[in-house]
Amino acid sequence: MKKIKIVHLYPNELNLYGDMGNTLCLYYRLKKRGYEAEIEKVDMGDKLCEFDILLIGGGQDKEMNIIASDLKRKSEMLSYSVNCGKVVFAVCAGFQLLGRYYINQQGGELKLSSALNFYTEGSSKRMIGNLVYDSPFGKIVGFENHSGKTYLSGNLKPLGRVISGYGNNGEDLGEGVLYKNTFGTYAHGAVLPKNPLLADELIKRALKTDCLSPLDDEIENLCHKQLINRF
């Protein structure tokens, strides 16, 4: 049976709001189905290694500035992985760093990986609160807290459409990005434990299968439903 390698990029710098929980969720759901899985952390200074699923969490401007120089050394491999269809799941700052650049509120420009054709601009308004959006994998619920406004360019499409909250920029109702097997979102939480259908979609793509054995998601689905109804 295929062994799935889950890589967590910048786990110390980009782990806002418990985004490590996304990594643990995927590991748990794989193991419960009998798959062999391993988690490898890739820190600053480490080479971005081969992976089946790459997860990148959230952070603040301070952390983005810290990793900026190191990101330059990983950008070529990251861009290659995204464009050849590897499974990538990125949250908030992790989502932003997949783009071309970030302009802060003072007008300073931070060059990012350019793995995808979008950019982010800092704003004076903080977009914070619970987030619900429609996606091809059902309604997704999470928590957002960002002042950056992300604008997709070219043929890029959002992951979903905002029902409640702000999403990418609070203007066009777009939330996140979905390109090949790369998923970007502003939803923290951690978001995958509360949205098992989304978690399983990442696993299906990593395994290259359309069918997974069912898990007992009664508690997860109850939490998901209550949050959707609440927000």
Side-chain angles (χ1 to χ4, degrees):
M1 187 172 285
K2 179 178 173 61
K3 182 177 183 179
I4 297 298
K5 185 174 184 178
I6 303 169
V7 168
H8 189 168
L9 180 60
Y10 301 128
N12 297 313
E13 292 77 19
L14 300 181
N15 187 27
L16 195 63
Y17 298 120
D19 290 324
M20 177 65 181
N22 293 322
T23 305
L24 298 176
C25 174
L26 294 178
Y27 178 84
Y28 168 83
R29 296 183 74 81
L30 283 161
K31 297 289 282 187
K32 290 291 284 186
R33 291 182 167 105
Y35 291 97
E36 188 176 357
E38 65 171 330
I39 297 172
E40 182 170 335
K41 298 178 180 179
V42 174
D43 294 300
M44 291 180 60
D46 296 338
K47 182 179 178 181
L48 181 55
C49 56
E50 288 290 329
F51 60 84
D52 295 295
I53 306 175
L54 176 69
L55 291 108
I56 318 172
Q60 303 179 70
D61 286 4
K62 176 183 177 183
E63 285 76 27
M64 289 284 277
N65 283 305
I66 289 172
I67 68 170
S69 59
D70 185 77
L71 180 63
K72 293 178 184 178
R73 294 187 285 271
K74 294 180 171 66
S75 291
E76 184 176 352
M77 180 61 177
L78 183 57
S79 296
Y80 171 78
S81 299
V82 166
N83 285 286
C84 76
K86 302 286 278 186
V87 179
V88 177
F89 185 73
V91 176
C92 199
F95 167 30
Q96 293 175 358
L97 69 77
L98 295 176
R100 303 195 326 263
Y101 58 83
Y102 174 81
I103 298 178
N104 63 29
Q105 293 184 43
Q106 292 73 42
E109 183 176 314
L110 187 65
K111 296 288 187 182
L112 299 172
S113 73
S114 295
L116 290 175
N117 185 21
F118 68 82
Y119 63 94
T120 303
E121 295 181 345
S123 69
S124 58
K125 179 179 180 179
R126 180 152 292 276
M127 291 168 279
I128 182 170
N130 296 296
L131 173 65
V132 182
Y133 60 96
D134 266 324
S135 82
F137 321 106
K139 289 184 173 65
I140 307 298
V141 62
F143 177 81
E144 62 181 329
N145 184 359
H146 56 105
S147 59
K149 292 186 172 186
T150 294
Y151 299 93
L152 306 183
S153 304
N155 295 323
L156 285 182
K157 302 296 183 183
L159 173 58
R161 184 173 177 85
V162 173
I163 298 172
S164 177
Y166 298 94
N168 286 347
N169 49 53
E171 299 165 11
D172 58 21
L173 297 181
E175 157 54 24
V177 69
L178 177 56
Y179 172 77
K180 295 186 177 181
N181 293 321
T182 291
F183 298 69
T185 182
Y186 272 110
H188 288 284
V191 68
L192 293 183
K194 291 184 292 220
N195 299 276
L197 288 179
L198 179 58
D200 280 352
E201 182 64 27
L202 300 177
I203 292 172
K204 287 178 185 178
R205 294 184 183 218
L207 293 171
K208 296 180 173 60
T209 182
D210 293 325
C211 183
L212 292 175
S213 57
L215 297 180
D216 181 3
D217 285 332
E218 181 180 0
I219 294 176
E220 290 86 346
N221 289 330
L222 180 62
C223 174
H224 179 268
K225 183 177 180 180
Q226 288 182 337
L227 290 171
I228 294 291
N229 291 338
R230 180 180 175 187
F231 304 133

